[in-house]
Amino acid sequence: MDTGFMIRCLKCGQEHTITPGRRSHRNEAIEFGTDNYGADQISCQCGNALEEHSRFEGEDFEGEFIVEWKQIP
C-alpha cells in the first residue's frame, strides 16, 4: 500500500496527491502550508481557499483552544 494523502477541491474536483519525497510546490494545483503568522491555509487554482483561525475560549485551565477553517473570499 502506498503512503501519503489525496486532497480534493470540493469546488472544482481537482485532486492532488502528496507522497514522500521532494515537493514541487510551484507546480501544485492545490497549495497548502503555514503562513508567516503561523496560520495554516489551503487553496486551489480555481479560487477556492480556506485559512485557519484559532482562539482560546474560557478561563485559565478550564478553557479550550478552538480551531476553525474559514473561507477566504
Side-chain angles (χ1 to χ4, degrees):
M1 171 161 277
D2 292 333
T3 60
F5 295 89
M6 172 75 68
I7 298 173
R8 179 182 303 135
C9 176
L10 296 178
K11 183 176 178 182
C12 73
Q14 176 71 43
E15 292 184 344
H16 179 63
T17 303
I18 298 122
T19 57
R22 189 172 181 166
R23 183 178 176 191
S24 180
H25 65 91
R26 292 190 194 336
N27 297 321
E28 294 175 347
I30 298 175
E31 298 179 5
F32 60 95
T34 304
D35 67 17
N36 293 337
Y37 303 102
D40 294 330
Q41 47 78 28
I42 187 166
S43 62
C44 181
Q45 289 178 343
C46 74
N48 189 20
L50 299 174
E51 66 182 357
E52 171 193 87
H53 289 263
S54 57
R55 66 187 181 283
F56 186 80
E57 289 183 351
E59 300 290 326
D60 301 323
F61 297 107
E62 301 298 319
E64 183 177 355
F65 189 68
I66 306 296
V67 179
E68 297 178 313
W69 286 105
K70 293 195 177 182
Q71 186 76 34
I72 300 173

